[in-house]
Amino acid sequence: IYSFSIVYRAPSAAFEKDVPYVVALVATDEGPHLMTRLMNIKPEDVKIGMRVVVNGWRTRHDPADQVSDGVAPPLFEPDLS
């Protein structure tokens, strides 16, 4: 995790059930930085420098708790290995 923000106020009704959630800037091992949403972690447990892994992809039509095989930015979760 390069940087992150905890979202407490839903930007629209579609996100109301998701708050609070974490939006993060992830520095990949390959070099690029990706803006993403962190999954499977409490916002208070997120730390700068923590390692994360891709847990799937989601399209704009999928609910927040459902991943998709479609073309979309990857979602990340903590690396527990």
Side-chain angles (χ1 to χ4, degrees):
I1 303 290
Y2 181 81
S3 182
F4 71 94
S5 180
I6 301 171
V7 177
Y8 292 99
R9 185 173 179 186
S12 71
F15 292 92
E16 286 179 354
K17 68 178 181 67
D18 298 331
V19 292
Y21 61 89
V22 178
V23 175
L25 187 59
V26 173
T28 66
D29 291 340
E30 294 80 9
H33 287 57
L34 299 174
M35 185 67 72
T36 186
R37 189 158 160 198
L38 295 183
M39 310 300 285
N40 303 321
I41 188 169
K42 293 178 184 175
E44 61 269 18
D45 294 337
V46 177
K47 305 286 185 242
I48 299 292
M50 73 183 299
R51 303 240 353 131
V52 293
V53 295
V54 173
N55 91 336
W57 287 261
R58 182 169 67 95
T59 68
R60 63 188 172 100
H61 300 293
D62 295 331
D65 58 350
Q66 177 184 347
V67 296
S68 169
D69 290 331
V71 176
L75 300 173
F76 287 78
E77 65 184 6
D79 183 357
L80 302 177
S81 61

